[in-house]
Structure formats: structure tokens, C-alpha cells
Amino acid sequence: MTEMSSEFDEDNNPTGTERPGGEVKNFVYGGRIYFNFNKDFLAGADYSISKSRFTINSTEGLVNQLNTAGTNLEDRFDGTHFGVIAGKEYNNAYTWVGAGVSELVDDNGNSRTAIGNEYSGTYWLVGAGYHLFGTIKLSIEYRRHKYDALLNSQTGVKTDLPSSTLGRGELDVKEILFGISIPLILGKKGK
């Protein structure tokens, strides 16, 4: 899946200062396994990996402050996401909802989050898709992530967010993703 529109911001910043926010450039790939029940209902597991670039552009004052400090305005993250999904089939169309757990690991230095540090939290999603030619599935999906813990890779200390000690709030990420997939169907459809 690739993002059509994605953004992030920091909720509940304990310091009361300007909170960072901005845009996300995202590429997501993964797989889903699900079973059909009662012919049209499905349930299963969702696993995906993401490559993301978070660019801070929230306010001129904050951007200038980070530039002055020599801090890169872009954070790159490797993400993993695992959850459950349930949905319904309508002939060639599908709808689904899901929820799960996520983590983001910073993979670039000189940015607001230190390299190797890991955000963790939860997400929920809602989506719709359509089969073309019986083999290709096009989909659109909305995902909302709430990262409420930060693990320091150097010390091994995990801190719940928001944290006045770190001066950080929760990381709130909203994504609209477009996907193309080729389903592999095993066995017969339920009755």
C-alpha cells in the first residue's frame, strides 16, 4: 500500500510548548490471512511493514528553533504492525475493520528522535476493496495510530507518553492508504 494522505502530530505535550506535527510519506507492504464464515463474513490476521518519513512543518517558530539547533526536520522510521481484521464480502466488493499493535524504530541520526529509539502503541483501521478480473484487488484504507510509549535504545528505558521528563506527548498518526493486492484463495468458500 502507498499513502494518499498522511499526517502526524504530538498530542498532550506536557511542556505546553509548540507541538511538532507535519506530513508523513509512507510505503506499507504485508499480508493478510483470513477465513470465510457463513459465506460472506471473514475474519483473520493482518501483518505489515512500513517505511516512513516524518517531516516536521507544524509552525515557523518550531521549525526555526530546530534548524537553529541543527536538528534534522525529517525522521525516518521502520515500522511493524500486527493486528486482527473482520469484514464482509458483497459479490466483488469487501469492507473490513481491524485493530492491532504498532512499533516504529528510528533509522536516521541527527533527528528529533535518536537513532534506534522505538515508539510503540496501538492502531485501528477501516477499509474497502474491490476485485477486478477476479485476481487483482484494489483497496483504500484509513489507519489511525496512537504511540504512547518510547523506548530509549541506549539505556533500555521505556517511558510512557506523555512524559514531562522527556518533554514529549503521544505520537498521533493518521493515514489514508491505497493498495493493490493479489489474493491467494485456498479451499472452498464457506456456506
Side-chain angles (χ1 to χ4, degrees):
M1 287 192 239
T2 186
E3 57 89 17
M4 294 174 62
S5 171
S6 300
E7 64 183 20
F8 76 97
D9 63 12
E10 193 174 287
D11 290 341
N12 305 315
N13 188 317
T15 64
T17 58
E18 295 179 81
R19 64 184 192 184
E23 64 182 7
V24 179
K25 296 291 183 191
N26 212 357
F27 181 74
V28 180
Y29 55 99
R32 289 184 173 149
I33 183 167
Y34 57 83
F35 301 94
N36 283 88
F37 300 95
N38 296 330
K39 189 176 179 182
D40 297 330
F41 293 95
L42 49 103
D46 172 54
Y47 176 77
S48 57
I49 297 170
S50 62
K51 293 281 192 184
S52 307
R53 288 183 321 191
F54 287 54
T55 304
I56 296 173
N57 63 11
S58 57
T59 63
E60 186 178 347
L62 180 59
V63 168
N64 289 340
Q65 177 187 357
L66 293 171
N67 279 331
T68 301
T71 302
N72 190 338
L73 297 177
E74 181 180 284
D75 261 312
R76 291 191 312 265
F77 291 102
D78 293 327
T80 55
H81 320 280
F82 180 76
V84 294
I85 59 168
K88 184 158 178 20
E89 178 183 356
Y90 309 89
N91 293 324
N92 286 334
Y94 294 81
T95 58
W96 60 88
V97 296
V101 293
S102 272
E103 65 180 37
L104 294 177
V105 178
D106 192 291
D107 77 346
N108 69 313
N110 193 32
S111 60
R112 187 166 183 263
T113 303
I115 191 166
N117 282 8
E118 178 184 306
Y119 281 100
S120 59
T122 59
Y123 71 93
W124 60 267
L125 61 86
V126 60
Y130 188 81
H131 275 286
L132 293 176
F133 316 116
T135 56
I136 297 173
K137 183 176 169 184
L138 303 178
S139 64
I140 189 164
E141 187 170 284
Y142 176 80
R143 290 189 184 198
R144 180 103 184 241
H145 303 262
K146 182 69 79 173
Y147 296 96
D148 57 5
L150 182 60
L151 175 67
N152 184 311
S153 62
Q154 300 297 314
T155 65
V157 174
K158 188 172 189 175
T159 305
D160 291 333
L161 301 175
S163 166
S164 55
T165 305
L166 297 178
R168 296 277 177 102
E170 300 165 317
L171 188 60
D172 183 20
V173 181
K174 304 171 198 98
E175 304 170 312
I176 298 175
L177 302 167
F178 172 75
I180 299 175
S181 59
I182 300 174
L184 174 62
I185 299 169
L186 301 174
K188 293 183 178 179
K189 200 180 226 185
K191 297 185 177 188

